[in-house]
Amino acid sequence: MRIVKTRDYADMSRKAANIISAQIILKPDCVLGLATGSSPLGTYEQLVDWYRKGDLDFSGVTTINLDEYRGLDRKDPQSYYYFMHTNLFDRVNIDTARTNIPNGMELDEKKECDRYEKLISDLGGIDLQLLGIGHNGHIGFNEPCEIFEKETHCVNLTESTIEANQRFFETADQVPRQAYTMGIGTIMRAKKILLVASGEEKAEILKQAFYGTITPNVPASILQLHPDVTLVADKAALTGINHG
Ligand code: F6R
């Protein structure tokens, strides 16, 4: 595992965008695994900026998102579909036919999960997977539980995740209770992982995830077994980790 310590959120975002940008330059037809949430927002902003300056070309890139709420329409401003379009896809020259997000409106769980796993495998796997980390150690929507889920599946969100995500909704009742997410196995099959984290409130979970016991109770702890993980985090998020 590589740890890249940054000054602050802006510095984290630039460095993470640099790594994604290098991936696109080295393999213009790469498959990028993407995440939503506050952590990657600045990274997307930076990528858009470099695209506008003519330094990045997304025309050959395929994307595959980690997760989506189940039951939210694409047009819903809280859907991850909407998030990805407003923050990245509609602002760069990506072919939207090559952008993939689980279909939250497909209520047949098995059908949707099988479709998504097959899609990733037909694409030849993920070259670089961008991740954030939840306060409880979740990655994607893989919540703490008894086992590491191998494949894309439908999850019931935990109270702590509903509470954390409530900030985007008017009331907690409006936060969907279920989501489709890539499994831990799906994420672990990505060739490279880039995890971004910022702020003191992520310090304790980063320490547990990267230096604690590998357990499905801290889903991100499995990343200790991945051969190519880069953690880009600001110094506030690294206070629990004694890193130069
Ligand atoms: C989002 C996702 C989640 C977030 C995590 C951290 O697609 O999969 O695992 O990465 O909840 O969220 P933020 O970045 O908002 O702290």
Side-chain angles (χ1 to χ4, degrees):
M1 178 197 26
R2 276 171 232 102
I3 300 181
V4 178
K5 183 177 184 174
T6 70
R7 284 188 300 279
D8 51 22
Y9 180 84
D11 192 23
M12 174 201 81
S13 302
R14 253 188 327 271
K15 290 199 163 69
N18 259 305
I19 293 170
I20 297 172
S21 168
Q23 173 68 62
I24 298 172
I25 292 165
L26 291 173
K27 190 178 177 195
D29 62 347
C30 63
V31 177
L32 291 182
L34 298 178
T36 60
S38 315
S39 311
L41 260 183
T43 305
Y44 295 149
E45 200 58 50
Q46 183 63 76
L47 291 173
V48 169
D49 188 45
W50 285 334
Y51 161 71
R52 286 188 179 146
K53 289 183 171 138
D55 289 336
L56 259 185
D57 176 10
F58 287 82
S59 61
V61 172
T62 297
T63 64
I64 180 113
N65 262 75
L66 278 170
D67 45 14
E68 176 62 285
Y69 286 120
R70 181 166 182 257
L72 277 199
D73 191 81
R74 288 172 165 190
K75 294 197 198 87
D76 191 306
Q78 302 309 335
S79 74
Y80 288 176
Y81 180 96
Y82 190 95
F83 176 102
M84 288 311 301
H85 278 263
T86 27
N87 292 301
L88 185 67
F89 301 156
D90 295 350
R91 304 168 71 200
V92 297
N93 67 333
I94 199 159
D95 175 358
T96 47
R98 282 195 228 195
T99 62
N100 302 282
I101 301 176
N103 177 6
M105 292 309 278
E106 174 56 72
L107 297 182
D108 183 336
E109 290 173 24
K110 181 162 174 8
K111 186 173 161 205
E112 182 54 15
C113 296
D114 289 353
R115 179 192 75 84
Y116 214 62
E117 276 301 314
K118 181 169 182 310
L119 174 68
I120 298 170
S121 130
D122 290 351
L123 287 170
I126 298 166
D127 290 301
L128 174 68
Q129 176 65 55
L130 176 63
L131 295 177
I133 184 170
H135 296 106
N136 60 5
H138 73 221
I139 46 177
F141 268 127
N142 291 279
E143 301 283 15
C145 65
E146 301 305 308
I147 52 151
F148 289 114
E149 288 277 355
K150 294 189 183 65
E151 301 200 323
T152 302
H153 58 290
C154 181
V155 277
N156 296 323
L157 305 189
T158 61
E159 278 311 314
S160 92
T161 299
I162 292 169
E163 210 176 291
N165 290 2
Q166 192 193 321
R167 66 193 195 274
F168 302 113
F169 294 81
E170 275 169 27
T171 65
D173 289 349
Q174 290 173 356
V175 187
R177 268 32 189 182
Q178 288 189 312
Y180 288 122
T181 180
M182 284 184 197
I184 290 290
T186 329
I187 295 170
M188 287 294 281
R189 284 190 286 280
K191 292 169 194 117
K192 291 183 211 135
I193 305 261
L194 168 61
L195 192 145
V196 285
S198 164
E200 218 181 303
E201 76 273 11
K202 294 286 170 78
E204 178 53 34
I205 195 62
L206 280 185
K207 181 174 149 197
Q208 277 182 44
F210 287 97
Y211 292 95
T213 309
I214 299 171
T215 162
N217 283 316
V218 182
S221 63
I222 193 84
L223 297 175
Q224 293 179 43
L225 300 180
H226 192 284
D228 193 339
V229 175
T230 305
L231 165 64
V232 180
D234 60 19
K235 54 178 190 276
L238 290 176
T239 46
I241 298 174
N242 200 0
H243 178 75

